[in-house]
Amino acid sequence: MSATYLAALARTREPGVALRRFLALDATVTGANGLAYLALSGPLGDLLGAGSGLLLGLGAALALYGAAVGLLAGRREPSATGVRTVVAANLTWAVLSLAALALWLSPTTAGAVWTVAQALAVAGFALAQHQSLRERQSARS
């Protein structure tokens, strides 16, 4: 995900539109990732060096989380508390992913690259959502 693409998503004159767009993008990517883990846990487990049981559990959690973020994104005015919860969850996921890589997981090279890449993407979502929420709140002041 490039900075240019994120900037294009954020361009709007309406307060809150960028926030909803970043939430929707997060929901889409997270939900798709979860569904891929559910549908392809065996082959993805082999590629990434993770057990299929782990990917099934993560897939179910990510699919549900993606759906919840999608519901929040679909609201005309996503609640600040809801957005803060998503930001906190995303930051927690990013930190735990990197900690698991360092302390617990023994992935393939592809799995290690994937773990770092998705942690950075999720942290990027958190940053964009946090900034968009601040801008929405500033526009109301």
Side-chain angles (χ1 to χ4, degrees):
M1 190 173 348
S2 73
T4 304
Y5 179 69
L6 290 176
L9 276 176
R11 271 189 223 133
T12 180
R13 291 179 188 245
E14 272 185 64
V17 170
L19 175 59
R20 292 194 318 269
R21 288 177 182 170
F22 287 128
L23 288 168
L25 181 61
D26 184 359
T28 301
V29 171
T30 302
N33 194 33
L35 293 176
Y37 285 176
L38 287 170
L40 302 168
S41 63
L44 285 176
D46 292 342
L47 174 68
L48 302 174
S52 62
L54 173 64
L55 291 184
L56 284 171
L58 289 174
L62 291 173
L64 290 172
Y65 180 74
V69 175
L71 289 172
L72 184 64
R75 301 184 84 154
R76 180 162 168 74
E77 291 264 340
S79 73
T81 301
V83 174
R84 285 188 196 104
T85 300
V86 168
V87 169
N90 283 344
L91 291 175
T92 300
W93 176 270
V95 169
L96 289 177
S97 294
L98 297 175
L101 181 61
L103 302 172
W104 175 54
L105 298 175
S106 299
T108 62
T109 300
V113 169
W114 174 251
T115 301
V116 171
Q118 63 81 31
L120 292 174
V122 171
F125 285 143
L127 180 62
Q129 292 157 350
H130 173 74
Q131 184 62 34
S132 295
L133 178 61
R134 284 183 53 186
E135 288 172 6
R136 184 184 78 177
Q137 290 172 327
S138 293
R140 290 181 178 170
S141 300

